[in-house]
Amino acid sequence: MRPPVSRRSRISRWCAGLPPVPWPYGAGDFRAFLADPVPAARWVICRDGAFLGMIGLQGQFGYWLARPAWGQGFASEAARAVLAVHFRSAAAEPVRAGYFEGNARSARVLAKLGFREIGRSRVPSLALDAILPHVELRLSRAAFATACAG
């Protein structure tokens, strides 16, 4: 049985980063994130100067959006842009991503981009203090091109 979800964890409950995303997420966690040596692999998602979330391709592809930005196409648009740049390189490797079971919104976004399931695992969620079922995905250049063409 999963612990109850607080208003504060509505976003973080779905964040499955490896290592797990810290919870609660404090100022020190943010400073450590900013100090990461690969800043070019992550971007801020904004609209009209307002911060909406983050997206990155550092080991694994991932993103998150503030709740008011959900369901408006921001994740799909930002993801297409980041993945298009990635696959422009002739040496670009396939991209890995994943989501916790039950995260239907991310499942839809990733499927629209061409990601395909390659397995299942169990991943820690610090926000829920639990090990949860996780869907593992992979995206090839060809699958991305096909998804973006249609």
Side-chain angles (χ1 to χ4, degrees):
M1 179 173 199
R2 292 183 181 165
V5 178
S6 72
R7 286 181 60 84
R8 292 183 58 198
S9 67
R10 286 186 181 160
I11 296 169
S12 59
R13 72 174 295 190
W14 300 120
C15 294
L18 295 173
V21 175
W23 178 259
Y25 192 89
D29 298 306
F30 184 64
R31 284 190 292 279
F33 174 77
L34 291 177
D36 191 311
V38 191
R42 59 181 178 247
W43 299 265
V44 172
I45 302 170
C46 292
R47 180 175 187 203
D48 299 329
F51 176 79
L52 301 178
M54 302 283 296
I55 190 164
L57 181 53
Q58 188 173 344
Q60 259 195 261
F61 177 74
Y63 57 89
W64 66 267
L65 289 173
R67 175 65 185 97
W70 291 3
Q72 298 179 51
F74 295 118
S76 296
E77 181 180 350
R80 274 191 210 95
V82 168
L83 293 167
V85 169
H86 172 75
F87 284 121
R88 277 189 204 139
S89 168
E93 295 287 327
V95 176
R96 295 181 68 97
Y99 61 89
F100 283 126
E101 283 185 9
N103 189 347
R105 291 179 184 273
S106 278
R108 282 191 299 273
V109 168
L110 295 166
K112 280 192 299 188
L113 296 166
F115 279 90
R116 299 293 176 250
E117 184 175 334
I118 57 169
R120 303 261 171 152
S121 64
R122 297 187 61 79
V123 174
S125 166
L126 295 181
L128 296 179
D129 191 26
I131 307 290
L132 303 176
H134 191 258
V135 180
E136 308 292 333
L137 306 167
R138 182 178 179 273
L139 177 66
S140 68
R141 178 193 316 270
F144 179 67
T146 300
C148 289

